[in-house]
Amino acid sequence: MMPVSEAKMHCLGMTTVMVRNIPVMYTQEMLESECVNIGTFDFLYLPRSGNGQTNLTYAFINFVSEEHALAFKEQCHKKRLTQLVARKPLNVSFADVQGLRGNLMQLKKKKTRLMEARQCQPIIIKNGQHLTLQQAWDVCGKR
């Protein structure tokens, strides 16, 4: 499949970014507190390793609007996180899977036992309320 150009992505209303080069000891909460403004996103997922001890160095963040996603990309691309040292700066790009619903469905396909651990679940916010993964799937399924 051919990559979609940045200009074409802009026309499609892209709201989900993939953030690469996150230090392995970062948690979702650390990432959230450092670079994502509350109220601008509804989904943040930093996948964990098989034993749950470290992250996989990438995250997915879905913003409530394309404007918020573009602002985040401009603010964080090629920057370094401050709480832990990393060899490489962040690489922020638009993700292949877009939107809250798309990301939730992607997780549902890949659900593992590790997802049952609190630190392995994504941060999901709907109408100002934090939802569990199961609650989000229930809400998403009703649409």
Side-chain angles (χ1 to χ4, degrees):
M1 182 163 45
M2 297 292 292
V4 180
S5 71
E6 288 284 323
K8 189 171 184 180
M9 280 191 213
H10 184 74
C11 294
L12 298 174
M14 305 297 272
T15 59
T16 304
V17 297
M18 181 177 190
V19 183
R20 293 180 182 87
N21 302 330
I22 298 169
V24 295
M25 297 309 290
Y26 255 70
T27 65
Q28 289 183 144
E29 292 76 14
M30 291 168 74
L31 185 61
E32 176 186 23
S33 70
E34 187 161 343
C35 52
V36 183
N37 294 329
I38 300 298
T40 64
F41 76 99
D42 55 14
F43 178 89
L44 188 155
Y45 180 51
L46 181 62
R48 308 293 292 177
S49 64
N51 62 14
Q53 297 297 311
T54 60
N55 73 61
L56 297 179
T57 74
Y58 61 88
F60 297 96
I61 306 170
N62 186 67
F63 292 88
V64 297
S65 72
E66 182 179 27
E67 292 76 25
H68 287 108
L70 287 168
F72 175 84
K73 190 173 185 243
E74 283 182 24
Q75 174 189 349
C76 294
H77 185 64
K78 300 294 181 194
K79 302 288 194 272
R80 293 182 189 272
L81 296 170
T82 61
Q83 295 183 40
L84 295 172
V85 177
R87 287 187 318 121
K88 298 178 182 178
L90 296 178
N91 181 334
V92 182
S93 59
F94 287 107
D96 290 337
V97 176
Q98 289 292 311
L100 176 60
R101 189 170 202 283
N103 280 286
L104 290 173
M105 293 300 102
Q106 185 76 3
L107 281 180
K108 194 166 193 172
K109 286 184 210 172
K110 298 181 180 205
K111 185 179 179 188
T112 65
R113 275 191 321 116
L114 189 61
M115 281 289 235
E116 294 170 8
R118 187 197 62 75
Q119 76 269 18
C120 297
Q121 290 201 8
I123 296 171
I124 305 165
I125 302 171
K126 192 77 171 165
N127 300 323
Q129 299 292 317
H130 280 78
L131 302 179
T132 66
L133 193 51
Q134 186 61 53
Q135 289 170 326
W137 284 334
D138 292 345
V139 169
C140 217
K142 294 179 181 172
R143 293 179 72 196

